[in-house]
Structures are given as C-alpha cells and as structure tokens.
Amino acid sequence: MNRLSRRTFVLGGAAVAGVVVAPLQSASAAVPFPFQLGVASGEPDASSVVLWTRLAPSPLNADGQGGMANADVAVDWQVSTTSSFASLVASGTVTAKYAAAHSVHVVAGGLQPDAEYYYRFRAQGHISPVGRTRTAPALSTVGRDFVMAFASCAHYESGYYTAYRRMADDRPDLILHLGDYIYEDAATAGSLRQHVGSEIVTLADYRRRYAQYKSDPDLQAAHAIAPWLVVPDDHEVENNYANMVRADSSPALTTAQWTARRTAAYQAYYENMPLRPANINSGNSIALYRRVRWGQLAVFHMLDTRQFRNDQACGDGWKVCSDADLASRSLPGTAQESWLLDGLGQHLGQWDIIGQQVFFARQYDASGASNMDAWDGYRASRARIQQGWVDRGVRNPLVLTGDVHASWANNLKADYANANSATIGTELVCTSITSGGNGTADTAIPNAGTNPHLKFYSNRRGYVRTKITQAQVTADFRGVSTVTEHGAAASTLKSFAILDGRPGLQAI
Ligand SMILES: [Fe+2]
C-alpha cells in the first residue's frame, strides 16, 4: 500500500499508551509523494536493524536531489510487530538532510531477537510503503529456520527486475547483494529501458542513477520484504577499477577528478543502501568489510575486493600470467586478509559464509589462461585464505559470489592441479538479475575439462535461494526464462546440499 492516511498513522501510534506520533505538518495535496524510492532495511543483529528511505518526489531530476528543496526535512519512523501498526515497539523522528540527498539511516533498537517486524516512515504529510524486516537470533541460540537469498548484477537497460520480484515472493529472512547494484554507463540507444544521462561521474550523477534504479517496483519489493546485507563491486564506481587505478580512460579524468569520482560514488552508495552509520563513507573510501552474526548458526564475512586490491596482473583480461602467483599480491588487501583469517579463527558460527564479489575457484581455459580480475589473478591471496581456514579448523567454509552473470556451483580444492586432492570448501555463484539479457538454456560447464571441481553452470538470469540449518545448507539455483518481458515465473534449475562437516556439493 503506497498511501495510508495520515490519520491512520497517528491513530496507530496513539493506540499504544504513551506513544503518540505528533503530526509534523499538515498533509497537503500540493506536496508530492516523497517515497518514490521505496523503503529498505539491513544489517540486522539480535536487537536492532537499520531502516532506510530517501525522499525523492521527482527521482530523475538532473541535480540528483530528487525534486527536494535545499532544506532538511523531519521524518517520523515506526516499528510494529504487525503490518497494521496497531501497536508500536519503537518509533522516533530523524532528519533527512539535503547534504545527504534526503536519505535516512535509522538504527531501530530495543528489538527482540529472531523476530519479524514491520516499519514505515512519514514525511511531508505522506506515509511510506510498509517494509517487513527481522532481527537475527540471539548469539546463544541457533534460531528458527533460516532462508537466505543472494543476487548480483542488475543492469537496468538489460531487462526488467523480475528476479528481484521472485526473490520477494519467496519471503526470505535475509537477502545478500554481492555487487553491481547499479551500472555506471551512459544511456544506450535502442535498449529495452534506458539509463538517464551520460556515464556517471559526479555526485549528482550517482545520486540520480541510484534514484532511477530504486524507482523500479520489483527492486522495491525485494527491499521491502527482508533486511539486506550489501557489498559493492566495480560498477558502483567504474568497470574493473582496482583500488585507485582505473581500468579504462573514458571519460578522460585527471587523478584529482578520478579521486573525486570515487569519493562521490561511495558517498552515493552509503546514501542509498541500508548500511549502519558506522559504515559511512569517509574521504574517497568507505569502510565496508564486516561480520554479521546469525546466532550460533552462521557468521557472514562480507568482503570488499575492490577498494584495496592490487591492480589486475598482466593488464587484466583472460591471460596466462605468472605475475598472478606473486605472494605480494592480494585481492582483499593485506589488512582485510588478516581480518578475515582472524575472524575465521574465532568460530563465530557453525557456517562461515564469505559474501564477496568475484569468482573464487580456479578456472583455467584449455590454454591455461584465467580471469585476471577474479581470484585467479591473485592466487597466493586465495591460497593463504584457503589454507588459513584449513589451519584454523573451520568446519563449514562457504563462499558466495556474483559478478559473472551465470550460475555456478564449485568445489574448492586443496590443490586445484590435483583433482584427487581434498575438497576443503564450497562456492555458490549467483547469476545476474538482468545483466547480459535473457540468457540461454545452456548448462554445459565452461572449461569443465581443465577444472573438474566446477560442478554446475546455467546461463539463465535469477538468484540463489538457500535454506540454512545445523545439518545442511540447501541451495536452489532459481532462474527466469526472460527478463525482456514482464512477469516470468521463477523455477529451480538445480539444487545442491552442503552437509555439516563435509565441504563440497551433494547433488539432490
Ligand atoms: Fe556485473
């Protein structure tokens, strides 16, 4: 429901003794609906969750301010155990600042563990859509049945966000987004639906691009159904960029202009994602790698493999490249690599789930070439992490990946050159939401001959749905037959189980 009456909102608040939400200002038909970008939540722990919205009555305005005037605006928020908001468990008022493109990040606290909640906002006399969210289980408990879905790569021009809609239909408990939430490129003539504007460079550009993406009702449905954990990849800034090094030279930018662009990109990322205030951008970077715990059941190590990486070896691309073996090279960067290994050694959950961006398992083609943008371009770094979890006795390492616009399921090997070596972990790779267009029915595993640890491939668009219990993780690779027409159904293309204490894929 897009609009509840203001009266309903006030009465909902007044129904709880002592809790009255005072009207901020009179509803006015002259004030346009400011919640065109929907609502979102994220970063749940056992007692709190981040609630997000951004006021933008005219999302596509070129100044990136979404049609808002140069003034700060008060925004009321409410949390209830029911979608009717008959009683409130938390509420308050925050300021949507012009300087933050009128985004708000509310940390709603004092919540019960492992519990479902509903939330909404009010501003300028209008009520927002209602979002559903939930908290994580208490750290001492395993919690209820847990469904987690993950996705990546949603190029707006490539198709409709049907896969986001189908994720929402599943009503998962948690959604992970592993990057390429937006794309930076200019409008493409003749595409199904077009980006507004040229390649995005300025803060106004990035803000407007997020606003365009977030105007999509299918994406809004996926945000409104569950809390998200997000990490960006390259396209939130620019294709295949590495740390402070660009991968292309168009548009031409001075070093200072590139630095300003990266700064703008991460400011807009924070403004538009349901991140905790601790993750706010600072200078030209943003502090994003973090752990999120799900009771005793799981811990999510969310990685950032863009901001701190060494430049791609041998000039990027698919290459035979001995430099990719250099011990000095790291994909997460030295500090994040140490942080990850330290966290893996703490055994914070039964399943150690690494949410990250790029292809983790080795994949060599018949000539021995591999993708220098992925972990194959940072082999010593991968080896340190894999051996690190073996040395630390990590019981159930599970790597989640996006980026490659196809579904894959891979066994991770102690020695990729020896098919008989131990399987020491598992990788699940989600396909794209839209990037690459409709895809095909192809399921022949590329480079299977040289990489027998790669066990599944599908070129459909979609997402991965997992059910996580103490006994096993079940992964359903979900696919849609088209993204160039609305309304395709999602079906399960393939399912695997990963058993507790036994790394690797089991066909089911
Ligand atoms: Fe992508």
PDB file of all heavy atoms in Angstrom, residues 153 179-180 183 234-235 403 405 435, ligand 1:
ATOM      1  N   CYS A 153      24.389  -7.996  -9.911  1.00  0.00           N
ATOM      2  CA  CYS A 153      24.444  -7.604 -11.325  1.00  0.00           C
ATOM      3  C   CYS A 153      23.060  -7.325 -11.929  1.00  0.00           C
ATOM      4  O   CYS A 153      22.445  -8.183 -12.561  1.00  0.00           O
ATOM      5  CB  CYS A 153      25.165  -8.659 -12.147  1.00  0.00           C
ATOM      6  SG  CYS A 153      26.869  -8.902 -11.611  1.00  0.00           S
ATOM      7  N   GLY A 179      26.994  -7.051  -5.320  1.00  0.00           N
ATOM      8  CA  GLY A 179      27.610  -6.009  -6.125  1.00  0.00           C
ATOM      9  C   GLY A 179      27.053  -5.870  -7.523  1.00  0.00           C
ATOM     10  O   GLY A 179      26.319  -6.715  -8.021  1.00  0.00           O
ATOM     11  N   ASP A 180      27.427  -4.745  -8.135  1.00  0.00           N
ATOM     12  CA  ASP A 180      26.863  -4.324  -9.416  1.00  0.00           C
ATOM     13  C   ASP A 180      25.346  -4.101  -9.277  1.00  0.00           C
ATOM     14  O   ASP A 180      24.550  -4.542 -10.094  1.00  0.00           O
ATOM     15  CB  ASP A 180      27.215  -5.289 -10.551  1.00  0.00           C
ATOM     16  CG  ASP A 180      28.713  -5.315 -10.827  1.00  0.00           C
ATOM     17  OD1 ASP A 180      29.427  -4.439 -10.305  1.00  0.00           O
ATOM     18  OD2 ASP A 180      29.166  -6.202 -11.559  1.00  0.00           O
ATOM     19  N   TYR A 183      24.884   0.230 -12.608  1.00  0.00           N
ATOM     20  CA  TYR A 183      25.954   0.298 -13.609  1.00  0.00           C
ATOM     21  C   TYR A 183      26.153   1.761 -13.968  1.00  0.00           C
ATOM     22  O   TYR A 183      25.211   2.548 -13.964  1.00  0.00           O
ATOM     23  CB  TYR A 183      25.627  -0.544 -14.840  1.00  0.00           C
ATOM     24  CG  TYR A 183      25.847  -2.024 -14.606  1.00  0.00           C
ATOM     25  CD1 TYR A 183      24.981  -2.755 -13.791  1.00  0.00           C
ATOM     26  CD2 TYR A 183      26.931  -2.682 -15.175  1.00  0.00           C
ATOM     27  CE1 TYR A 183      25.196  -4.103 -13.565  1.00  0.00           C
ATOM     28  CE2 TYR A 183      27.147  -4.039 -14.953  1.00  0.00           C
ATOM     29  CZ  TYR A 183      26.276  -4.746 -14.149  1.00  0.00           C
ATOM     30  OH  TYR A 183      26.497  -6.074 -13.919  1.00  0.00           O
ATOM     31  N   ASP A 234      32.550  -3.498  -8.807  1.00  0.00           N
ATOM     32  CA  ASP A 234      33.201  -2.427  -9.564  1.00  0.00           C
ATOM     33  C   ASP A 234      32.233  -1.392 -10.127  1.00  0.00           C
ATOM     34  O   ASP A 234      32.497  -0.186 -10.092  1.00  0.00           O
ATOM     35  CB  ASP A 234      34.053  -3.006 -10.703  1.00  0.00           C
ATOM     36  CG  ASP A 234      33.300  -3.969 -11.603  1.00  0.00           C
ATOM     37  OD1 ASP A 234      32.280  -4.529 -11.144  1.00  0.00           O
ATOM     38  OD2 ASP A 234      33.722  -4.168 -12.754  1.00  0.00           O
ATOM     39  N   HIS A 235      31.071  -1.842 -10.625  1.00  0.00           N
ATOM     40  CA  HIS A 235      30.216  -0.911 -11.360  1.00  0.00           C
ATOM     41  C   HIS A 235      29.562   0.153 -10.483  1.00  0.00           C
ATOM     42  O   HIS A 235      29.042   1.139 -11.005  1.00  0.00           O
ATOM     43  CB  HIS A 235      29.155  -1.675 -12.148  1.00  0.00           C
ATOM     44  CG  HIS A 235      29.733  -2.401 -13.332  1.00  0.00           C
ATOM     45  ND1 HIS A 235      30.128  -1.748 -14.477  1.00  0.00           N
ATOM     46  CD2 HIS A 235      30.024  -3.699 -13.521  1.00  0.00           C
ATOM     47  CE1 HIS A 235      30.618  -2.629 -15.344  1.00  0.00           C
ATOM     48  NE2 HIS A 235      30.570  -3.823 -14.782  1.00  0.00           N
ATOM     49  N   ASP A 403      29.019 -11.428  -9.950  1.00  0.00           N
ATOM     50  CA  ASP A 403      29.884 -10.852 -10.984  1.00  0.00           C
ATOM     51  C   ASP A 403      29.814 -11.474 -12.372  1.00  0.00           C
ATOM     52  O   ASP A 403      29.913 -10.758 -13.368  1.00  0.00           O
ATOM     53  CB  ASP A 403      31.359 -10.858 -10.521  1.00  0.00           C
ATOM     54  CG  ASP A 403      32.292 -10.177 -11.517  1.00  0.00           C
ATOM     55  OD1 ASP A 403      32.002  -9.021 -11.869  1.00  0.00           O
ATOM     56  OD2 ASP A 403      33.270 -10.781 -11.941  1.00  0.00           O
ATOM     57  N   HIS A 405      27.509 -13.252 -14.121  1.00  0.00           N
ATOM     58  CA  HIS A 405      26.283 -13.286 -14.933  1.00  0.00           C
ATOM     59  C   HIS A 405      25.910 -14.699 -15.359  1.00  0.00           C
ATOM     60  O   HIS A 405      25.352 -14.908 -16.439  1.00  0.00           O
ATOM     61  CB  HIS A 405      26.401 -12.378 -16.164  1.00  0.00           C
ATOM     62  CG  HIS A 405      26.831 -10.980 -15.852  1.00  0.00           C
ATOM     63  ND1 HIS A 405      27.133 -10.050 -16.799  1.00  0.00           N
ATOM     64  CD2 HIS A 405      27.003 -10.344 -14.659  1.00  0.00           C
ATOM     65  CE1 HIS A 405      27.478  -8.915 -16.243  1.00  0.00           C
ATOM     66  NE2 HIS A 405      27.407  -9.077 -14.942  1.00  0.00           N
ATOM     67  N   SER A 435      21.803  -8.501 -16.017  1.00  0.00           N
ATOM     68  CA  SER A 435      22.961  -8.213 -16.871  1.00  0.00           C
ATOM     69  C   SER A 435      23.216  -9.357 -17.846  1.00  0.00           C
ATOM     70  O   SER A 435      23.248 -10.519 -17.461  1.00  0.00           O
ATOM     71  CB  SER A 435      24.197  -7.984 -15.999  1.00  0.00           C
ATOM     72  OG  SER A 435      23.945  -6.925 -15.095  1.00  0.00           O
TER      73      SER A 435
HETATM   74 FE    FE B   1      28.071  -7.309 -13.338  1.00  0.00          FE
END
